[in-house]
Amino acid sequence: MSVILITGAATGIGYLTAKKLAAEGHTVWASMRDPEGRNQDTAAEFAELARATGVELHTVGLDVTSQESANTAVATVVEISGKLDVVVQNAGHLYVGYVEAFTDDDIARLLDVNAIGAHRVNRAALPYLRGQRSGTLLYVGSTIIVTTPPFLGPYVASKAAFDALAVVTSYEAAQFGIETSIVMPGAITQGTAHFPNASHASDAAITAAYASLDSLVARNEEATASLVRPGVEASPQGVADEISRVLALPRGEKPFRTVVDFTEAGVEHVMAFSDLTREAFVNRMGFGEALTLRD
C-alpha cells in the first residue's frame, strides 16, 4: 500500500479519490486550504471516517499558491508516515466569462492556482521521490485542452499549461524512477463545485459590452450537461475510480495518459496521436532515454 498526497481534496474528484484510496488500504493525506476554517466540515468528516472504520485518512492544510505551505504539507506527510509514494495533483479553480473582460491579474491568479500550484507541490515532493528513486506523479488534467469550449478561456489556458508542465517534468522525473500519469476528465457538471464556485471577470465595463452574449454564457452549464447521453451518470466518482485503477497497476505499466469522458468527445484519439508525435520528436532529438522509466 502507498502513502498518497492529494491536492484539492475538499470537494469533487479529490474528495471522492481520497475516500476511495483510503478504503482500499492506502495511507491517504487529503490536502485542502484551511481545514480548520472554510473546510472544517470535510476535515471533520474524514477524521470521523478514519475513527469509525480504521482507514488511514488524514487531513493536511495545503494552499497551492504558497511554496511554504506546499513544503510544510509534504514535510508533515513524510515525518508522520515515514515516506511519500504518490502525489495526486488535483487542485484547481474555474473561471467563466468573456476573455477580454479578464484582467491580466485575473488570468495570472488562475495560472497561479491551476498550473504553478502543481509545480510548487512538485518542488516540495520531488526531493523525497528522487531520494528514494521511486514514486508516481498523477495529474488530474482535462479534455478541455482539446475541446476548447467558449466562455472558459482562462481556464482552458491554465489547464493547457498544467498539462505541458506535467509532460516536460515527466522527462526528468523518469530518470529518477518516478512515473507520470495524466488522467483527463471530460466535462462534469454533477458532484463537483466547479460551476457553482466559478469566478468571473473583474472588468465589469468590458463584460457589459458583451451583454448580447449573456444568454449563451447563462446556459453554459446546461449546454455542457446536454453532451452526456441520457441515462449516463456523469459523476466524478468515475474519475476517482480511474485514478484508483491507474495507481493499482504495477510499476512501469501505468499509462502515461488516460481519458474519462462522459461526453464522448474523442479526446483519447487526439491525445494518442499527439503523444506519439511528441515521442517521435523527442526520439529524433536523441533524447529517447527521457521517455524511459529508469530503475
Side-chain angles (χ1 to χ4, degrees):
M1 293 292 103
S2 300
V3 175
I4 302 173
L5 172 65
I6 304 172
T7 68
T11 62
I13 292 169
Y15 167 86
L16 293 170
T17 300
K19 293 176 71 173
K20 182 171 182 64
L21 293 177
E24 292 173 345
H26 298 286
T27 297
V28 175
W29 287 85
S31 78
M32 60 194 70
R33 287 184 297 168
D34 196 14
E36 297 178 353
R38 61 182 293 177
N39 288 314
Q40 61 181 332
D41 289 346
T42 302
E45 178 190 347
F46 284 171
E48 174 56 25
L49 182 62
R51 186 201 64 77
T53 65
V55 298
E56 291 287 339
L57 178 55
H58 311 277
T59 300
V60 63
L62 199 169
D63 179 353
V64 299
T65 65
S66 164
Q67 187 66 61
E68 181 181 2
S69 177
N71 292 347
T72 299
V74 170
T76 298
V77 171
V78 174
E79 179 180 358
I80 296 176
S81 293
K83 62 173 183 172
L84 174 63
D85 299 304
V86 179
V87 178
V88 177
Q89 297 273 19
N90 171 72
H93 188 60
L94 179 66
Y95 274 14
V96 177
Y98 308 115
V99 176
E100 185 188 348
F102 288 99
T103 66
D104 54 352
D105 286 341
D106 288 339
I107 296 178
R109 192 175 303 113
L110 190 65
L111 286 166
D112 194 32
V113 173
N114 290 0
I116 302 174
H119 181 62
R120 290 189 183 97
V121 175
N122 277 348
R123 279 176 52 82
L126 278 169
Y128 296 99
L129 302 183
R130 280 191 287 103
Q132 65 196 26
R133 299 191 73 84
S134 67
T136 301
L137 299 175
L138 189 147
Y139 300 82
V140 181
S142 177
T143 61
I144 205 167
I145 66 173
V146 175
T147 56
T148 321
F151 312 126
L152 301 172
Y155 182 73
V156 173
S158 70
K159 294 306 287 187
F162 173 91
D163 192 282
L165 279 171
V167 171
V168 295
T169 301
S170 75
Y171 301 143
E172 299 153 14
Q175 306 315 297
F176 295 89
I178 302 164
E179 295 183 273
T180 293
S181 285
I182 304 171
V183 176
M184 300 176 70
I188 297 174
T189 58
Q190 300 176 0
T192 75
H194 247 19
F195 274 97
N197 291 342
S199 294
H200 301 276
S202 293
D203 193 326
I206 296 296
T207 296
Y210 284 85
S212 61
L213 302 181
D214 284 354
S215 63
L216 300 180
V217 177
R219 65 181 184 87
N220 195 319
E221 185 174 0
E222 176 188 354
T224 303
S226 73
L227 298 174
V228 180
R229 292 185 185 183
V232 173
E233 185 180 358
S235 166
Q237 184 64 54
V239 184
D241 293 344
E242 179 65 358
I243 292 170
S244 169
R245 184 192 73 82
V246 169
L247 293 179
L249 294 171
R251 172 181 164 79
E253 297 183 20
K254 296 178 179 62
F256 183 77
R257 192 183 296 276
T258 180
V259 175
V260 181
D261 183 16
F262 300 108
T263 72
E264 302 175 61
V267 170
E268 63 272 21
H269 305 300
V270 176
M271 295 313 303
F273 184 75
S274 174
D275 282 328
L276 283 173
T277 302
R278 172 180 59 81
E279 290 168 8
F281 188 80
V282 171
N283 274 307
R284 287 175 59 208
M285 293 179 72
F287 293 148
E289 64 192 71
L291 301 170
T292 303
L293 181 68
R294 289 194 177 184
D295 293 329

